[in-house]
Amino acid sequence: MDYIKAFVIGGAICAVVQIFMDKTKLMPGRIMVILVCLGALLGAVGLYQPFIDFAGAGASVPLLGFGNTLWKGVKEAVDSEGFLGIFSGGFTSSAVGISGALVLGYLAALLFEPKMKE
């Protein structure tokens, strides 16, 4: 049942974002930034963690979850290191995900020889 819930919730998030991309004139990069900031904001007000507890990976994997992860890292770093934690917290909490994306993106580029759009 957890898999079905994660699939439905994650799919609903992706469907809403796709509709948003199709119906607005915002560029995809701006929409991605809005999603990350929205995830951080929802985490800051305490609404995102109960959503993750309910939906599991369906809520933690999309960009909203990445924003929430950044928020949690910043909060923990500020609590332990003070003001300088604002600058280091997000990096330490999301380092594994970012590193994985960079490494796998590089490997995909080596394997599939991407080309620029014409």
Side-chain angles (χ1 to χ4, degrees), residues 69-85:
T69 300
L70 290 175
W71 162 252
K72 284 196 271 187
V74 168
K75 184 177 182 290
E76 290 173 11
V78 167
D79 290 344
S80 65
E81 299 172 24
F83 180 75
L84 291 178

Side-chain angles (χ1 to χ4, degrees), residues 46-105:
L47 295 175
Y48 208 75
Q49 190 57 48
F51 186 51
I52 289 175
D53 294 340
F54 171 74
S60 63
V61 173
L63 283 172
L64 291 167
F66 180 68
N68 184 52
T69 300
L70 290 175
W71 162 252
K72 284 196 271 187
V74 168
K75 184 177 182 290
E76 290 173 11
V78 167
D79 290 344
S80 65
E81 299 172 24
F83 180 75
L84 291 178
I86 293 172
F87 305 106
S88 65
F91 293 117
T92 55
S93 67
S94 61
V96 172
I98 292 171
S99 298
L102 288 172
V103 169
L104 293 175

Side-chain angles (χ1 to χ4, degrees), residues 1 4 9-10 17 26 29 37 42-43 46 64 74-75 87 92-93 97 111:
M1 191 62 180
I4 293 170
I9 299 294
V17 171
L26 291 173
C37 292
L42 290 173
L64 291 167
V74 168
K75 184 177 182 290
F87 305 106
T92 55
S93 67
L111 292 174

